[in-house]
Amino acid sequence: MTKENNYYTDERIRSDLDYQRAQRIAKNMLDSGLISGEEFNKLCNINRKTFSPLFVEIYPKITCYVSETE
C-alpha cells in the first residue's frame, strides 16, 4: 500500500463494515418496535463514535430518525 493510499486500511474498512452492520441491526430493532426513535438516534450516535465509519464526515449531523408525529 502506498503512502497516498493509506486512508483505506484494512482496519478502517473493517470498522466501516461493522458500522453498517450495527446500523442495520438498530434499524431492524426500530422497525420491529423493540426500540423507540429516540433510542435509535442514540444508537446512531454511539455507532458513529464507536466504529468511525469511513465517510462519517459527510454523514448528516442531524438525527437518524424523526417520527411522523414530530
Side-chain angles (χ1 to χ4, degrees):
M1 196 175 284
T2 65
K3 269 192 168 189
E4 296 83 28
N5 198 17
N6 64 356
Y7 184 77
Y8 298 103
T9 64
D10 287 344
E11 182 180 339
R12 291 194 78 174
I13 292 169
R14 206 172 6 263
S15 182
D16 190 71
L17 290 172
D18 290 340
Y19 169 78
Q20 298 298 328
R21 284 185 202 112
Q23 285 297 103
R24 196 168 32 252
I25 290 167
K27 180 71 167 91
N28 287 340
M29 291 172 68
L30 175 67
D31 292 344
S32 298
L34 296 172
I35 60 173
S36 68
E38 185 178 332
E39 291 167 318
F40 177 77
N41 288 334
K42 287 178 184 178
L43 282 175
C44 286
N45 290 328
I46 291 169
N47 289 341
R48 285 181 184 157
K49 291 175 186 171
T50 302
F51 299 111
S52 241
L54 286 173
F55 303 108
V56 70
E57 62 274 358
I58 63 173
Y59 289 163
K61 300 284 186 213
I62 59 172
T63 57
C64 301
Y65 170 82
V66 177
S67 74
E68 293 177 8
T69 59
E70 293 181 287

